[in-house]
């Protein structure tokens, strides 16, 4: 039996619109304008230290664990490729 994940979203027709509105709300500027530290000398120094020439490598180091953990999770959920091929070649055993 094959299960498809997309059937859940048919029950929520406004879900994509909700996600879009949530993303727009999260990225709107009024929230950033409320920051009391952003326009201070400390805020400018923090921005200068974050967005310097080391920004690319630091961003890579920060984001790199996510695909690694996603790969580990997928491996644990699906199993190794040799195990999948062995199970796909004998579908009759699944019905016993």
């Amino acid at each position: 039996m094959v299960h498809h994940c997309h059937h859940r979203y048919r029950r929520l027709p406004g879900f994509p619109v909700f996600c879009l509105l949530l993303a727009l709300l999260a990225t709107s500027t009024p929230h950033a304008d409320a920051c009391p530290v952003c326009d201070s000398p400390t805020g400018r120094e923090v921005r200068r230290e974050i967005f310097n020439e080391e920004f690319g490598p630091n961003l890579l180091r920060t984001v790199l664990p996510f695909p690694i953990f996603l790969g580990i999770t997928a491996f644990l959920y699906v199993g190794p490729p040799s195990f999948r091929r062995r199970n796909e070649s004998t579908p009759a055993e699944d019905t016993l």
Side-chain angles (χ1 to χ4, degrees):
M1 177 182 233
V2 177
H3 295 283
H4 295 287
C5 295
H6 67 281
H7 73 278
R8 283 185 272 167
Y9 299 115
R10 278 188 255 149
R11 289 184 280 164
L12 302 171
F15 185 71
V17 174
F18 173 74
C19 289
L20 179 65
L21 288 175
L22 189 62
L24 288 173
L25 180 65
T27 58
S28 64
T29 58
H31 301 290
D33 292 340
C35 177
V37 181
C38 291
D39 290 329
S40 69
T42 303
R44 286 189 286 278
E45 184 178 344
V46 167
R47 272 194 308 278
R48 195 170 39 250
E49 290 296 320
I50 289 175
F51 298 110
N52 61 15
E53 65 276 352
E54 293 291 318
F55 179 73
N58 287 339
L59 181 65
L60 182 65
R61 284 186 210 111
T62 303
V63 174
L64 190 60
F66 293 102
I68 291 172
F69 287 134
L70 181 64
I72 291 171
T73 303
F75 180 79
L76 292 174
Y77 181 75
V78 176
S82 62
F83 181 73
R84 269 197 320 260
R85 274 181 277 181
R86 188 173 43 227
N87 283 345
E88 289 172 357
S89 64
T90 58
E93 292 177 5
D94 292 340
T95 59
L96 295 177

